[in-house]
Amino acid sequence: MQYLEQRLIEQSNENCVDEQKIHDLLYLSLKEGYAIFEEPILEGSFVSQKTGPYCVELNAMSIQRKKLFPITLRMSRQTILVLNSILEQYGHCSHEQLMRVICRDEAWQSARKNSNETFFGVIDSELLRTDSRKVSVIRSLWKMDHNFYADPSSMAIHLN
């Protein structure tokens, strides 16, 4: 998700972003999308690694292009709004802080129970949908509606 990576770089004034943090934020975005729209805003499956949630399709895309997030995907307005809300809420957090939030999810705990050294447990989308009921929809909608864009055109290139 080049969009997410670019926004994190803008927020932190650094040249690169921790790849695991991107996976963490995508996981949280998927959960928040279920909470607000009752459907996934991202296509992709997540597995549980020791380091955190891991989006399989995102990694395959990265390996194929030999860069972290080289492709600009066209995203719906809903997706961008949820990603912006997640960035507003969690963009400043470290991976360790994000894991404290993620570890509370039943979907994460179940996937970790089904993991071992050679197999990563798949994060069940139905359990994630159940976990999404704990998300504060009011707070999320507020964050979505009150995001500030220094350059609105930078968001527009990602819209469908």
Side-chain angles (χ1 to χ4, degrees):
M1 303 282 324
Q2 190 176 20
Y3 176 77
L4 195 57
E5 183 183 27
Q6 288 171 345
R7 290 290 314 277
L8 283 168
I9 288 170
E10 289 168 11
Q11 280 184 350
S12 66
N13 294 323
E14 295 178 14
N15 291 332
C16 64
V17 178
D18 174 23
E19 183 177 0
Q20 184 57 55
K21 183 174 178 175
I22 299 279
H23 288 276
D24 296 346
L25 293 171
L26 287 174
Y27 171 87
L28 292 169
S29 297
L30 184 62
K31 182 171 78 169
E32 188 154 319
Y34 277 124
I36 296 168
F37 303 113
E38 297 181 358
E39 61 185 34
I41 60 156
L42 303 166
E43 291 185 26
S45 55
F46 284 84
V47 295
S48 66
Q49 295 189 116
K50 285 183 181 180
T51 56
Y54 193 75
C55 181
V56 177
E57 290 77 7
L58 183 61
N59 187 56
M61 182 173 65
S62 300
I63 290 170
Q64 184 179 23
R65 302 285 185 196
K66 296 185 175 31
K67 288 190 198 175
L68 187 51
F69 304 110
I71 301 170
T72 301
L73 300 175
R74 305 291 290 168
M75 296 182 284
S76 70
R77 182 169 173 73
Q78 288 179 334
T79 301
I80 288 180
L81 290 172
V82 170
L83 289 174
N84 287 337
S85 173
I86 289 296
L87 283 169
E88 182 73 24
Q89 293 174 67
Y90 301 109
H92 64 280
C93 295
S94 67
H95 165 65
E96 291 75 21
Q97 292 168 319
L98 293 172
M99 283 308 298
R100 283 188 220 123
V101 173
I102 292 167
C103 285
R104 294 186 222 146
D105 290 347
E106 186 179 340
W108 171 256
Q109 293 170 8
S110 175
R112 286 306 302 151
K113 286 179 191 170
N114 295 321
S115 296
N116 60 40
E117 291 298 318
T118 57
F119 177 77
F120 301 128
V122 176
I123 295 175
D124 185 313
S125 59
E126 287 306 312
L127 284 177
L128 191 58
R129 186 184 302 264
T130 301
D131 289 331
S132 75
R133 295 185 186 122
K134 301 170 192 166
V135 171
S136 170
V137 175
I138 298 293
R139 183 190 67 217
S140 298
L141 291 172
W142 176 264
K143 299 281 185 190
M144 287 167 64
D145 194 42
H146 290 84
N147 280 305
F148 171 77
Y149 300 98
D151 180 12
S153 64
S154 65
M155 181 185 93
I157 64 168
H158 298 279
L159 289 173
N160 282 335

